[in-house]
Amino acid sequence: MRHDNFCVALSVALSRRKCDMTISERLKTARATLGLSQKEFAAQSGVSARGYQGYEDGRSVPGGEAISSFVRLGINANWLLTGEGQMLLAAPPEALKPEPPPGMEINEDALKAVVAAVNTVKPNASQSEQAALIASMYSRLVAEGIVTPQGIHRPKQSA
C-alpha cells in the first residue's frame, strides 16, 4: 500500500495522526472521497475550474475564500491545511444544505437576515448551535406570521 493510500485510510478512519501530504494532495483526496470530478468540485465550491486545477497541481495555494467554500462542502479546514484531524466534518455535506419540508416555501431574504443576525449575536457558536438557533428563529417568525413566502409583514407602529 502506498504511503498516500495509507494516509487516506487513516483520515477516513478519523485518525488524529498527521499525514505527510501536501495541500494539493489533500484536496485531491477529499475530492475523490466526495466522489466528485475536478469540474464538479470546482462548480460546487464556486471556484473556477482552472483555479481549482491549479490548487490540485500545486501551482497555487487556495486562499481564505476558497478554503471557506471547501468547508461548505464538508471538508475540515484544519485537516486541509495541516493534515491533522478528520478529513471530513462531522456533519455530512447534505446536512449543511437541508431541504425544506414538502409544501414549505422559504423566504430567502428573511432567512438571510436571520442568518446574519445569528452570526452577529453568536459569532463563536458552533455550526450546529447556529443552525439550531437559525431554524428556531425562522420557524418562530413564520409561526407568528411575521415572515411569509411572499415577504415580511411589518406590524403597524403605535403612534
Side-chain angles (χ1 to χ4, degrees), residues 83-141:
E84 295 176 352
Q86 302 172 13
M87 178 188 342
L88 300 177
L89 298 170
E94 296 81 31
L96 299 175
K97 298 184 261 180
E99 291 294 318
M104 181 180 179
E105 294 181 51
I106 301 292
N107 180 321
E108 291 186 30
D109 291 334
L111 184 57
K112 287 177 185 176
V114 170
V115 169
V118 168
N119 285 334
T120 300
V121 174
K122 296 275 191 179
N124 297 323
S126 70
Q127 281 185 334
S128 60
E129 290 171 326
Q130 285 187 339
L133 186 55
I134 290 165
S136 173
M137 288 176 65
Y138 185 83
S139 296
R140 184 172 177 187
L141 292 170

Short mmCIF file of all heavy atoms in Angstrom, two decimals, residues 83-141:
data_model
loop_
_atom_site.label_atom_id
_atom_site.label_comp_id
_atom_site.label_asym_id
_atom_site.label_seq_id
_atom_site.Cartn_x
_atom_site.Cartn_y
_atom_site.Cartn_z
N GLY A 83 -3.10 18.63 7.72
CA GLY A 83 -3.08 17.17 7.67
C GLY A 83 -3.47 16.54 8.98
O GLY A 83 -3.48 15.32 9.12
N GLU A 84 -3.83 17.35 9.97
CA GLU A 84 -4.20 16.82 11.29
C GLU A 84 -5.71 16.80 11.44
O GLU A 84 -6.42 17.68 10.95
CB GLU A 84 -3.59 17.68 12.39
CG GLU A 84 -2.07 17.63 12.40
CD GLU A 84 -1.45 18.55 13.43
OE1 GLU A 84 -2.18 19.35 14.04
OE2 GLU A 84 -0.23 18.47 13.61
N GLY A 85 -6.20 15.79 12.16
CA GLY A 85 -7.62 15.69 12.43
C GLY A 85 -8.35 14.90 11.36
O GLY A 85 -7.75 14.20 10.54
N GLN A 86 -9.66 15.02 11.38
CA GLN A 86 -10.53 14.30 10.46
C GLN A 86 -10.57 15.00 9.11
O GLN A 86 -10.57 16.21 9.05
CB GLN A 86 -11.93 14.22 11.04
CG GLN A 86 -12.00 13.54 12.39
CD GLN A 86 -13.38 13.66 12.99
OE1 GLN A 86 -14.33 14.02 12.33
NE2 GLN A 86 -13.49 13.36 14.27
N MET A 87 -10.67 14.21 8.05
CA MET A 87 -10.75 14.79 6.71
C MET A 87 -12.08 15.52 6.52
O MET A 87 -12.12 16.63 6.00
CB MET A 87 -10.63 13.71 5.64
CG MET A 87 -10.76 14.27 4.24
SD MET A 87 -10.85 13.08 2.87
CE MET A 87 -10.25 11.57 3.49
N LEU A 88 -13.16 14.86 6.92
CA LEU A 88 -14.49 15.43 6.71
C LEU A 88 -15.06 15.92 8.02
O LEU A 88 -14.77 15.38 9.09
CB LEU A 88 -15.41 14.38 6.09
CG LEU A 88 -14.96 13.84 4.73
CD1 LEU A 88 -15.93 12.76 4.26
CD2 LEU A 88 -14.83 14.94 3.70
N LEU A 89 -15.89 16.94 7.92
CA LEU A 89 -16.57 17.46 9.10
C LEU A 89 -17.55 16.41 9.60
O LEU A 89 -17.98 15.53 8.86
CB LEU A 89 -17.31 18.75 8.76
CG LEU A 89 -16.41 19.90 8.30
CD1 LEU A 89 -17.26 21.05 7.77
CD2 LEU A 89 -15.53 20.37 9.45
N ALA A 90 -17.94 16.52 10.87
CA ALA A 90 -18.84 15.54 11.47
C ALA A 90 -20.17 15.48 10.73
O ALA A 90 -20.74 14.41 10.55
CB ALA A 90 -19.07 15.86 12.95
N ALA A 91 -20.69 16.63 10.31
CA ALA A 91 -21.96 16.66 9.59
C ALA A 91 -21.68 16.44 8.11
O ALA A 91 -20.81 17.09 7.54
CB ALA A 91 -22.66 17.99 9.80
N PRO A 92 -22.41 15.54 7.46
CA PRO A 92 -22.19 15.36 6.02
C PRO A 92 -22.61 16.59 5.25
O PRO A 92 -23.42 17.38 5.74
CB PRO A 92 -23.09 14.16 5.67
CG PRO A 92 -24.11 14.12 6.75
CD PRO A 92 -23.45 14.71 7.98
N PRO A 93 -22.07 16.80 4.04
CA PRO A 93 -22.43 17.99 3.28
C PRO A 93 -23.93 18.17 3.11
O PRO A 93 -24.42 19.28 3.09
CB PRO A 93 -21.74 17.76 1.93
CG PRO A 93 -20.60 16.85 2.23
CD PRO A 93 -21.07 15.99 3.38
N GLU A 94 -24.70 17.08 2.99
CA GLU A 94 -26.15 17.20 2.83
C GLU A 94 -26.76 17.92 4.03
O GLU A 94 -27.73 18.64 3.88
CB GLU A 94 -26.81 15.82 2.68
CG GLU A 94 -26.39 15.06 1.44
CD GLU A 94 -25.04 14.36 1.61
OE1 GLU A 94 -24.70 13.95 2.72
OE2 GLU A 94 -24.32 14.26 0.61
N ALA A 95 -26.21 17.72 5.21
CA ALA A 95 -26.76 18.35 6.41
C ALA A 95 -26.50 19.85 6.42
O ALA A 95 -27.17 20.60 7.11
CB ALA A 95 -26.17 17.72 7.67
N LEU A 96 -25.53 20.29 5.64
CA LEU A 96 -25.24 21.71 5.58
C LEU A 96 -26.19 22.45 4.65
O LEU A 96 -26.27 23.66 4.68
CB LEU A 96 -23.79 21.93 5.12
CG LEU A 96 -22.72 21.34 6.01
CD1 LEU A 96 -21.35 21.53 5.39
CD2 LEU A 96 -22.76 21.93 7.40
N LYS A 97 -26.91 21.71 3.80
CA LYS A 97 -27.85 22.31 2.86
C LYS A 97 -29.18 21.57 2.96
O LYS A 97 -29.57 20.85 2.05
CB LYS A 97 -27.30 22.23 1.44
CG LYS A 97 -26.01 22.99 1.22
CD LYS A 97 -25.62 22.94 -0.24
CE LYS A 97 -24.57 21.87 -0.39
NZ LYS A 97 -24.09 21.71 -1.75
N PRO A 98 -29.88 21.68 4.09
CA PRO A 98 -31.12 20.92 4.23
C PRO A 98 -32.21 21.43 3.30
O PRO A 98 -32.27 22.61 2.99
CB PRO A 98 -31.51 21.14 5.70
CG PRO A 98 -30.86 22.44 6.05
CD PRO A 98 -29.59 22.50 5.24
N GLU A 99 -33.04 20.52 2.85
CA GLU A 99 -34.19 20.85 2.02
C GLU A 99 -35.36 21.20 2.93
O GLU A 99 -35.54 20.59 3.98
CB GLU A 99 -34.57 19.67 1.12
CG GLU A 99 -33.55 19.38 0.05
CD GLU A 99 -33.45 20.49 -0.98
OE1 GLU A 99 -34.49 21.03 -1.38
OE2 GLU A 99 -32.33 20.82 -1.37
N PRO A 100 -36.18 22.19 2.56
CA PRO A 100 -37.35 22.50 3.36
C PRO A 100 -38.35 21.36 3.29
O PRO A 100 -38.38 20.61 2.32
CB PRO A 100 -37.91 23.77 2.71
CG PRO A 100 -37.36 23.77 1.34
CD PRO A 100 -36.06 23.04 1.39
N PRO A 101 -39.18 21.20 4.32
CA PRO A 101 -40.20 20.16 4.29
C PRO A 101 -41.13 20.38 3.09
O PRO A 101 -41.30 21.51 2.63
CB PRO A 101 -40.96 20.37 5.60
CG PRO A 101 -40.06 21.18 6.46
CD PRO A 101 -39.19 21.96 5.54
N PRO A 102 -41.74 19.30 2.58
CA PRO A 102 -42.64 19.45 1.45
C PRO A 102 -43.73 20.48 1.74
O PRO A 102 -44.30 20.50 2.83
CB PRO A 102 -43.24 18.05 1.28
CG PRO A 102 -42.27 17.13 1.96
CD PRO A 102 -41.63 17.94 3.04
N GLY A 103 -43.99 21.33 0.77
CA GLY A 103 -45.04 22.34 0.91
C GLY A 103 -44.59 23.62 1.61
O GLY A 103 -45.33 24.58 1.68
N MET A 104 -43.38 23.64 2.14
CA MET A 104 -42.89 24.84 2.84
C MET A 104 -41.98 25.63 1.92
O MET A 104 -40.96 25.12 1.47
CB MET A 104 -42.14 24.47 4.10
CG MET A 104 -41.64 25.67 4.86
SD MET A 104 -40.75 25.15 6.34
CE MET A 104 -40.28 26.70 7.01
N GLU A 105 -42.39 26.84 1.62
CA GLU A 105 -41.54 27.71 0.81
C GLU A 105 -40.68 28.55 1.75
O GLU A 105 -41.13 28.95 2.82
CB GLU A 105 -42.40 28.63 -0.05
CG GLU A 105 -43.19 27.87 -1.10
CD GLU A 105 -44.00 28.82 -1.95
OE1 GLU A 105 -43.44 29.80 -2.47
OE2 GLU A 105 -45.20 28.57 -2.09
N ILE A 106 -39.47 28.82 1.34
CA ILE A 106 -38.54 29.60 2.16
C ILE A 106 -38.47 31.02 1.61
O ILE A 106 -38.32 31.24 0.42
CB ILE A 106 -37.13 28.97 2.13
CG1 ILE A 106 -37.16 27.54 2.67
CG2 ILE A 106 -36.13 29.82 2.90
CD1 ILE A 106 -37.46 27.42 4.13
N ASN A 107 -38.57 31.99 2.51
CA ASN A 107 -38.37 33.39 2.16
C ASN A 107 -36.87 33.62 2.31
O ASN A 107 -36.36 33.79 3.42
CB ASN A 107 -39.18 34.29 3.09
CG ASN A 107 -39.03 35.75 2.78
OD1 ASN A 107 -37.93 36.20 2.45
ND2 ASN A 107 -40.10 36.50 2.92
N GLU A 108 -36.15 33.60 1.19
CA GLU A 108 -34.69 33.66 1.24
C GLU A 108 -34.18 34.94 1.87
O GLU A 108 -33.18 34.91 2.61
CB GLU A 108 -34.11 33.46 -0.15
CG GLU A 108 -34.29 32.05 -0.67
CD GLU A 108 -33.59 31.81 -1.99
OE1 GLU A 108 -32.55 32.46 -2.24
OE2 GLU A 108 -34.09 30.97 -2.76
N ASP A 109 -34.83 36.08 1.59
CA ASP A 109 -34.37 37.34 2.18
C ASP A 109 -34.49 37.31 3.69
O ASP A 109 -33.59 37.75 4.42
CB ASP A 109 -35.16 38.52 1.61
CG ASP A 109 -34.83 38.78 0.14
OD1 ASP A 109 -33.71 38.43 -0.28
OD2 ASP A 109 -35.69 39.33 -0.57
N ALA A 110 -35.62 36.78 4.18
CA ALA A 110 -35.82 36.70 5.63
C ALA A 110 -34.82 35.73 6.25
O ALA A 110 -34.25 36.01 7.31
CB ALA A 110 -37.25 36.27 5.94
N LEU A 111 -34.60 34.60 5.59
CA LEU A 111 -33.66 33.62 6.11
C LEU A 111 -32.25 34.21 6.15
O LEU A 111 -31.52 34.03 7.14
CB LEU A 111 -33.69 32.35 5.28
CG LEU A 111 -32.80 31.21 5.77
CD1 LEU A 111 -33.14 30.82 7.20
CD2 LEU A 111 -32.93 30.02 4.84
N LYS A 112 -31.85 34.95 5.12
CA LYS A 112 -30.53 35.59 5.11
C LYS A 112 -30.40 36.59 6.26
O LYS A 112 -29.35 36.69 6.89
CB LYS A 112 -30.28 36.30 3.78
CG LYS A 112 -30.01 35.36 2.63
CD LYS A 112 -29.86 36.13 1.32
CE LYS A 112 -29.71 35.19 0.15
NZ LYS A 112 -29.66 35.89 -1.13
N ALA A 113 -31.49 37.31 6.55
CA ALA A 113 -31.47 38.27 7.66
C ALA A 113 -31.32 37.55 8.99
O ALA A 113 -30.57 38.00 9.87
CB ALA A 113 -32.75 39.11 7.65
N VAL A 114 -32.00 36.41 9.15
CA VAL A 114 -31.88 35.63 10.38
C VAL A 114 -30.45 35.10 10.52
O VAL A 114 -29.85 35.17 11.60
CB VAL A 114 -32.92 34.48 10.42
CG1 VAL A 114 -32.64 33.53 11.58
CG2 VAL A 114 -34.33 35.05 10.52
N VAL A 115 -29.88 34.58 9.44
CA VAL A 115 -28.51 34.07 9.47
C VAL A 115 -27.54 35.18 9.85
O VAL A 115 -26.66 35.00 10.69
CB VAL A 115 -28.12 33.44 8.10
CG1 VAL A 115 -26.63 33.14 8.04
CG2 VAL A 115 -28.93 32.18 7.86
N ALA A 116 -27.70 36.35 9.26
CA ALA A 116 -26.82 37.49 9.58
C ALA A 116 -26.96 37.88 11.05
O ALA A 116 -25.96 38.15 11.72
CB ALA A 116 -27.15 38.68 8.68
N ALA A 117 -28.19 37.87 11.55
CA ALA A 117 -28.41 38.23 12.96
C ALA A 117 -27.74 37.22 13.88
O ALA A 117 -27.07 37.61 14.85
CB ALA A 117 -29.91 38.31 13.25
N VAL A 118 -27.88 35.95 13.60
CA VAL A 118 -27.27 34.92 14.44
C VAL A 118 -25.74 35.01 14.38
O VAL A 118 -25.07 34.91 15.40
CB VAL A 118 -27.77 33.51 14.05
CG1 VAL A 118 -26.94 32.42 14.72
CG2 VAL A 118 -29.24 33.36 14.40
N ASN A 119 -25.21 35.24 13.19
CA ASN A 119 -23.75 35.38 13.06
C ASN A 119 -23.23 36.59 13.83
O ASN A 119 -22.12 36.57 14.33
CB ASN A 119 -23.35 35.48 11.59
CG ASN A 119 -23.42 34.16 10.88
OD1 ASN A 119 -23.31 33.10 11.49
ND2 ASN A 119 -23.64 34.20 9.58
N THR A 120 -24.05 37.64 13.93
CA THR A 120 -23.65 38.84 14.67
C THR A 120 -23.74 38.61 16.17
O THR A 120 -22.83 38.97 16.92
CB THR A 120 -24.54 40.03 14.28
OG1 THR A 120 -24.37 40.26 12.88
CG2 THR A 120 -24.17 41.28 15.05
N VAL A 121 -24.83 37.98 16.60
CA VAL A 121 -25.08 37.80 18.03
C VAL A 121 -24.28 36.64 18.62
O VAL A 121 -23.83 36.71 19.76
CB VAL A 121 -26.59 37.59 18.28
CG1 VAL A 121 -26.88 37.26 19.72
CG2 VAL A 121 -27.37 38.83 17.86
N LYS A 122 -24.10 35.58 17.85
CA LYS A 122 -23.42 34.37 18.34
C LYS A 122 -22.28 33.97 17.40
O LYS A 122 -22.26 32.87 16.87
CB LYS A 122 -24.42 33.22 18.44
CG LYS A 122 -25.53 33.41 19.42
CD LYS A 122 -25.09 33.00 20.78
CE LYS A 122 -26.30 32.94 21.71
NZ LYS A 122 -25.91 32.54 23.02
N PRO A 123 -21.28 34.84 17.21
CA PRO A 123 -20.23 34.52 16.23
C PRO A 123 -19.36 33.33 16.63
O PRO A 123 -18.76 32.69 15.77
CB PRO A 123 -19.41 35.81 16.16
CG PRO A 123 -19.62 36.45 17.49
CD PRO A 123 -21.04 36.11 17.89
N ASN A 124 -19.27 33.02 17.91
CA ASN A 124 -18.40 31.94 18.36
C ASN A 124 -19.13 30.63 18.59
O ASN A 124 -18.53 29.66 19.03
CB ASN A 124 -17.65 32.36 19.63
CG ASN A 124 -16.74 33.54 19.38
OD1 ASN A 124 -16.13 33.65 18.32
ND2 ASN A 124 -16.67 34.44 20.33
N ALA A 125 -20.43 30.60 18.30
CA ALA A 125 -21.19 29.36 18.47
C ALA A 125 -20.78 28.36 17.40
O ALA A 125 -20.36 28.73 16.31
CB ALA A 125 -22.69 29.65 18.38
N SER A 126 -20.92 27.09 17.74
CA SER A 126 -20.60 26.05 16.75
C SER A 126 -21.61 26.10 15.62
O SER A 126 -22.68 26.70 15.75
CB SER A 126 -20.63 24.67 17.41
OG SER A 126 -21.97 24.33 17.73
N GLN A 127 -21.28 25.45 14.51
CA GLN A 127 -22.19 25.41 13.37
C GLN A 127 -23.53 24.81 13.76
O GLN A 127 -24.57 25.30 13.36
CB GLN A 127 -21.59 24.61 12.21
CG GLN A 127 -20.59 25.35 11.41
CD GLN A 127 -20.12 24.54 10.20
OE1 GLN A 127 -20.16 23.32 10.20
NE2 GLN A 127 -19.66 25.23 9.18
N SER A 128 -23.49 23.74 14.55
CA SER A 128 -24.75 23.10 14.93
C SER A 128 -25.58 23.99 15.84
O SER A 128 -26.81 24.05 15.72
CB SER A 128 -24.50 21.73 15.57
OG SER A 128 -23.73 21.87 16.74
N GLU A 129 -24.93 24.73 16.74
CA GLU A 129 -25.66 25.67 17.60
C GLU A 129 -26.27 26.79 16.77
O GLU A 129 -27.42 27.18 16.97
CB GLU A 129 -24.74 26.26 18.67
CG GLU A 129 -24.30 25.28 19.73
CD GLU A 129 -23.22 25.83 20.64
OE1 GLU A 129 -22.37 26.62 20.17
OE2 GLU A 129 -23.22 25.47 21.83
N GLN A 130 -25.49 27.33 15.83
CA GLN A 130 -26.01 28.38 14.97
C GLN A 130 -27.17 27.88 14.12
O GLN A 130 -28.19 28.54 13.99
CB GLN A 130 -24.91 28.95 14.07
CG GLN A 130 -23.95 29.85 14.79
CD GLN A 130 -22.96 30.52 13.84
OE1 GLN A 130 -22.73 30.07 12.73
NE2 GLN A 130 -22.37 31.62 14.30
N ALA A 131 -27.03 26.68 13.57
CA ALA A 131 -28.09 26.12 12.73
C ALA A 131 -29.38 25.94 13.53
O ALA A 131 -30.47 26.27 13.05
CB ALA A 131 -27.65 24.79 12.13
N ALA A 132 -29.26 25.43 14.75
CA ALA A 132 -30.45 25.23 15.59
C ALA A 132 -31.11 26.57 15.91
O ALA A 132 -32.34 26.68 15.87
CB ALA A 132 -30.06 24.50 16.88
N LEU A 133 -30.32 27.58 16.21
CA LEU A 133 -30.86 28.90 16.53
C LEU A 133 -31.52 29.52 15.30
O LEU A 133 -32.60 30.10 15.38
CB LEU A 133 -29.76 29.80 17.08
CG LEU A 133 -30.18 31.18 17.60
CD1 LEU A 133 -31.28 31.05 18.66
CD2 LEU A 133 -28.98 31.91 18.19
N ILE A 134 -30.90 29.39 14.15
CA ILE A 134 -31.46 29.92 12.90
C ILE A 134 -32.80 29.25 12.61
O ILE A 134 -33.79 29.92 12.32
CB ILE A 134 -30.47 29.73 11.73
CG1 ILE A 134 -29.27 30.67 11.90
CG2 ILE A 134 -31.16 29.97 10.38
CD1 ILE A 134 -28.08 30.32 11.03
N ALA A 135 -32.83 27.93 12.71
CA ALA A 135 -34.07 27.20 12.44
C ALA A 135 -35.17 27.61 13.42
O ALA A 135 -36.32 27.83 13.03
CB ALA A 135 -33.82 25.69 12.53
N SER A 136 -34.81 27.74 14.68
CA SER A 136 -35.78 28.13 15.71
C SER A 136 -36.33 29.53 15.46
O SER A 136 -37.55 29.76 15.50
CB SER A 136 -35.12 28.05 17.09
OG SER A 136 -35.98 28.56 18.07
N MET A 137 -35.43 30.48 15.19
CA MET A 137 -35.86 31.85 14.95
C MET A 137 -36.73 31.97 13.71
O MET A 137 -37.78 32.61 13.73
CB MET A 137 -34.64 32.78 14.83
CG MET A 137 -33.92 33.03 16.14
SD MET A 137 -32.42 34.03 15.92
CE MET A 137 -33.10 35.58 15.37
N TYR A 138 -36.30 31.34 12.63
CA TYR A 138 -37.05 31.42 11.37
C TYR A 138 -38.43 30.79 11.55
O TYR A 138 -39.44 31.35 11.13
CB TYR A 138 -36.29 30.75 10.24
CG TYR A 138 -36.98 30.92 8.90
CD1 TYR A 138 -36.81 32.08 8.16
CD2 TYR A 138 -37.83 29.94 8.40
CE1 TYR A 138 -37.45 32.26 6.94
CE2 TYR A 138 -38.48 30.11 7.19
CZ TYR A 138 -38.29 31.27 6.47
OH TYR A 138 -38.93 31.45 5.28
N SER A 139 -38.47 29.61 12.18
CA SER A 139 -39.76 28.93 12.41
C SER A 139 -40.69 29.79 13.24
O SER A 139 -41.90 29.85 12.97
CB SER A 139 -39.53 27.59 13.10
OG SER A 139 -38.80 26.73 12.27
N ARG A 140 -40.16 30.45 14.25
CA ARG A 140 -40.99 31.31 15.10
C ARG A 140 -41.54 32.50 14.30
O ARG A 140 -42.70 32.87 14.43
CB ARG A 140 -40.20 31.80 16.30
CG ARG A 140 -41.02 32.61 17.25
CD ARG A 140 -40.28 32.93 18.52
NE ARG A 140 -41.12 33.76 19.37
CZ ARG A 140 -40.72 34.30 20.47
NH1 ARG A 140 -39.50 34.08 20.90
NH2 ARG A 140 -41.53 35.06 21.17
N LEU A 141 -40.71 33.10 13.47
CA LEU A 141 -41.16 34.21 12.64
C LEU A 141 -42.26 33.78 11.68
O LEU A 141 -43.23 34.51 11.45
CB LEU A 141 -39.98 34.80 11.86
CG LEU A 141 -38.92 35.53 12.69
CD1 LEU A 141 -37.69 35.85 11.84
CD2 LEU A 141 -39.49 36.79 13.30
#
